[in-house]
Amino acid sequence: MIEPFDDTYFMKKALQEAEIAFEKGEIPVGAVIAIDNRIIARGHNLTETLTDVTAHAEMQTITAAANFLGGKYLQKCTLYVTLEPCQMCAGALYWSQISKIVYGARDEQRGCINLKTKLHPKTTISGGVLADEASALLKRFFVEKRNLN
Amino acid sequence: MIEPFDDTYFMKKALQEAEIAFEKGEIPVGAVIAIDNRIIARGHNLTETLTDVTAHAEMQTITAAANFLGGKYLQKCTLYVTLEPCQMCAGALYWSQISKIVYGARDEQRGCINLKTKLHPKTTISGGVLADEASALLKRFFVEKRNLN
């Protein structure tokens, strides 16, 4: 029997957000935040649209989730994001005290793991969920961008 | 002769922002961003007001400066902030490619220096400007908060 609300289910929703970013000409990264198997926030990278380096998918989604919950802490929540969070986003997740972070593709250069960004002691992090799909979308974006220039 | 536009001048403006945060019941941290000796953005901590852990003074100010400049990179800009930036804010400053960061008080526990957040190679960081004033305001905030509870 297939568990309908597993990590893959939620990561697919995050990938849908990444695809929306792609369509907007944004580096395609998407995220959702879930609590009790329910999605309470969705977001995608909007750095170009908003002309703002802080507008990463995770930041949009953290803000939206806090707004939904009416409180700034995201305890008991899980973030699903198609690309490993950067220092900024991991730093925001530290403040949010989020329970769990699940990412898709690794970001060896700019991701929080190799850069050793401190996470909250209450937070666990794991990755590799639909990583190939997330990477393929990013690669397609950069290939198309190169061909346009 | 006194140089009118030195680091102390701009840090005083950041301290004024921290005082506005204090009046709002926010942890009193303020920031300004200057370019060519001109302030183009001001901000203060709004995490309680906005119910949003991402609403640090620096984040508000980075967004406002990019909005003013019409571009997301803050090259040639200097950020003045009353407290050493955290991982999130230093991570945002990394993406902004800001030229210079000047902070007031150190944050040994949660600041980017001890946590070794990676800054952009183009960015320099220094601190201690009006540190006593920034620390005193923070201490006063936490003393008053304790007395209210």
Side-chain angles (χ1 to χ4, degrees):
Chain A
M1 196 185 128
I2 297 163
E3 161 63 60
F5 294 120
D6 59 2
D7 285 349
T8 305
Y9 172 85
F10 291 107
M11 191 60 82
K12 274 186 187 158
K13 304 295 181 187
L15 268 169
Q16 287 171 4
E17 287 295 318
E19 282 158 12
I20 297 169
F22 185 99
E23 294 303 320
K24 290 180 179 171
E26 299 277 359
I27 294 176
V29 180
V32 300
I33 289 177
I35 185 167
D36 295 333
N37 284 333
R38 181 181 166 205
I39 292 173
I40 60 167
R42 297 163 195 266
H44 52 268
N45 180 35
L46 284 172
T47 49
E48 296 302 323
T49 306
L50 299 179
T51 318
D52 187 346
V53 296
T54 75
H56 282 192
E58 299 93 317
M59 304 299 277
Q60 312 282 329
T61 313
I62 291 165
T63 298
N67 191 44
F68 177 87
L69 293 171
K72 65 187 176 8
Y73 297 117
L74 305 182
Q75 293 143 334
K76 301 184 184 168
C77 291
T78 301
L79 170 82
Y80 294 89
V81 58
T82 57
L83 182 66
E84 182 192 332
C86 74
Q87 301 182 116
M88 170 181 70
C89 294
L93 291 161
Y94 170 91
W95 291 118
S96 79
Q97 302 186 18
I98 201 161
S99 178
K100 196 172 153 190
I101 301 166
V102 181
Y103 62 85
R106 268 300 290 276
D107 186 349
E108 304 273 352
Q109 291 287 317
R110 288 167 162 177
C112 61
I113 296 172
N114 283 356
L115 292 178
K116 300 191 194 325
T117 310
K118 187 178 178 176
L119 294 175
H120 196 276
K122 288 178 191 155
T123 304
T124 61
I125 186 165
S126 59
V129 179
L130 300 181
D132 291 346
E133 288 82 346
S135 289
L137 190 62
L138 283 160
K139 273 178 201 146
R140 184 153 64 88
F141 176 82
F142 288 111
V143 166
E144 287 192 14
K145 207 180 168 198
R146 219 172 10 243
N147 291 344
L148 283 173
N149 290 339
Chain B
M1 195 185 130
I2 296 164
E3 161 64 60
F5 295 120
D6 60 1
D7 286 348
T8 305
Y9 172 85
F10 291 108
M11 191 60 83
K12 274 185 187 158
K13 304 296 183 187
L15 268 170
Q16 287 172 4
E17 288 294 319
E19 282 158 13
I20 298 170
F22 185 100
E23 294 304 319
K24 291 180 179 171
E26 298 279 357
I27 296 177
V29 180
V32 300
I33 289 177
I35 185 167
D36 295 332
N37 284 334
R38 181 181 165 203
I39 291 175
I40 59 166
R42 298 164 195 265
H44 51 268
N45 181 33
L46 284 172
T47 49
E48 296 302 323
T49 307
L50 300 179
T51 319
D52 187 346
V53 296
T54 74
H56 283 192
E58 299 94 315
M59 303 299 277
Q60 311 284 328
T61 313
I62 291 166
T63 298
N67 192 42
F68 176 86
L69 293 171
K72 64 188 177 12
Y73 297 117
L74 305 182
Q75 294 143 332
K76 300 183 186 169
C77 291
T78 301
L79 171 81
Y80 294 89
V81 58
T82 58
L83 182 66
E84 181 192 332
C86 74
Q87 302 182 115
M88 170 181 71
C89 295
L93 290 161
Y94 170 90
W95 291 117
S96 79
Q97 302 185 18
I98 201 161
S99 177
K100 197 172 154 190
I101 302 167
V102 181
Y103 62 86
R106 268 300 289 276
D107 186 349
E108 303 272 352
Q109 291 287 318
R110 286 165 163 178
C112 62
I113 296 172
N114 282 356
L115 292 177
K116 301 189 194 324
T117 310
K118 186 178 178 177
L119 294 175
H120 196 277
K122 288 177 192 157
T123 304
T124 62
I125 185 164
S126 59
V129 179
L130 300 181
D132 291 345
E133 289 82 346
S135 288
L137 189 63
L138 283 160
K139 274 177 200 146
R140 185 151 65 87
F141 176 82
F142 288 112
V143 166
E144 288 192 13
K145 208 182 167 197
R146 221 173 7 245
N147 292 343
L148 284 173
N149 290 337

